[in-house]
Amino acid sequence: MYVPVYPEDSGDDIRKGRAGDIDILCLGTLPSPGAVLIAAGGAESRGDEAMYISSLEAALSGFDIITEADEAGAISILSGAEDGGGRLFLSSSHGIRDYILRYPGRVRRLLLTGGGLFSCSAHGECRQGAWAAAAALASSAFIFPGSIEAYRTLVSMLDSGKEAAIPRSSLSSRMARSLVLEGCPACDSLSSALALPAAIVYPDGRGRYAFRSKRYSALLFR
């Protein structure tokens, strides 16, 4: 089915919704309960492999995936969701119409996963709101804390009793180390943060999944 993705022909396809106590605008659907927030704060490429593996593990496990984007969003997370057949929902720090206009190709890919796009505004930047809305819709999180907004989101989710972890590869940053000292787990990927993971992705030169120059396979428990 054709889904309009440009501001001039979107019409009623952009709807109003709620993320906790935050008013949002959304295109497509919103995530189901139990969704996991997988995101990288800042422009940290060191977390790309962990983000791809975690997104793929989440998709293969049947979780809806939420991510936050200050620009187009991490291609590692989108690729993992697509490869695992999962649904990806992007919370944009740009207004929803601004994101649609800037990144129509990304919007199409989001909608093709069965996911959607949401934002706190129609136009203009709202970075803290994007993180807050994403956290409100998520039940757990795996976040690379490369920005103060990502750090605050992790602290907020931990304080509210939600499960949250950071990639072990982020420990070179002071913010990540302070989170671990406060009790936040540091794991290789999402499956390492779960008590009973449904999928574990591992490097395999002949694996069916590929990201950049590496290939991976998955061990499924269902």
Side-chain angles (χ1 to χ4, degrees):
M1 182 178 69
Y2 172 70
V3 181
V5 294
Y6 290 93
E8 57 268 26
D9 65 4
S10 57
D12 292 335
D13 289 298
I14 294 178
R15 303 182 307 278
K16 292 183 178 179
R18 296 278 288 178
D21 59 355
I22 303 170
D23 289 322
I24 59 172
L25 296 172
C26 56
L27 177 67
T29 61
L30 287 176
S32 302
V36 57
L37 170 57
I38 302 176
E44 293 285 359
S45 60
R46 288 174 296 168
D48 275 355
E49 184 175 13
M51 294 291 101
Y52 172 78
I53 291 174
S54 297
S55 185
L56 178 56
E57 288 175 336
L60 293 172
S61 300
F63 292 114
D64 280 350
I65 303 164
I66 302 170
T67 193
E68 189 275 346
D70 293 338
E71 294 299 335
I75 191 63
S76 54
I77 297 171
L78 175 57
S79 296
E82 290 176 329
D83 289 354
R87 303 199 305 168
L88 180 63
F89 302 83
L90 187 145
S91 180
S92 174
S93 66
H94 295 294
I96 189 168
R97 291 183 180 274
D98 291 343
Y99 188 93
I100 291 168
L101 185 61
R102 292 183 187 198
Y103 309 111
R106 288 291 179 93
V107 176
R108 291 190 184 95
R109 292 176 68 175
L110 286 169
L111 297 178
L112 285 173
T113 70
L117 169 70
F118 59 96
S119 179
C120 296
S121 65
H123 301 284
E125 186 174 291
C126 185
R127 185 172 298 180
Q128 189 59 48
W131 279 102
L137 291 170
S139 296
S140 58
F142 188 75
I143 298 173
F144 195 108
S147 69
I148 189 60
E149 291 86 5
Y151 173 86
R152 289 171 177 167
T153 298
L154 279 159
V155 171
S156 175
M157 293 185 76
L158 289 167
D159 287 347
S160 64
K162 294 183 178 181
E163 294 184 357
I166 61 174
R168 200 179 305 277
S169 57
S170 69
L171 289 176
S172 59
S173 79
R174 181 177 299 177
M175 284 191 293
R177 294 194 296 274
S178 69
L179 284 164
V180 170
L181 291 174
E182 293 174 15
C184 181
C187 307
D188 291 326
S189 68
L190 177 68
S191 63
S192 302
L194 301 175
L196 296 171
I200 296 176
V201 173
Y202 57 93
D204 180 356
R206 297 183 178 181
R208 63 175 295 187
Y209 307 106
F211 180 67
R212 302 201 192 281
S213 61
K214 295 185 178 181
R215 303 194 69 86
Y216 305 88
S217 289
L219 185 61
L220 305 178
F221 298 93
R222 61 182 183 128

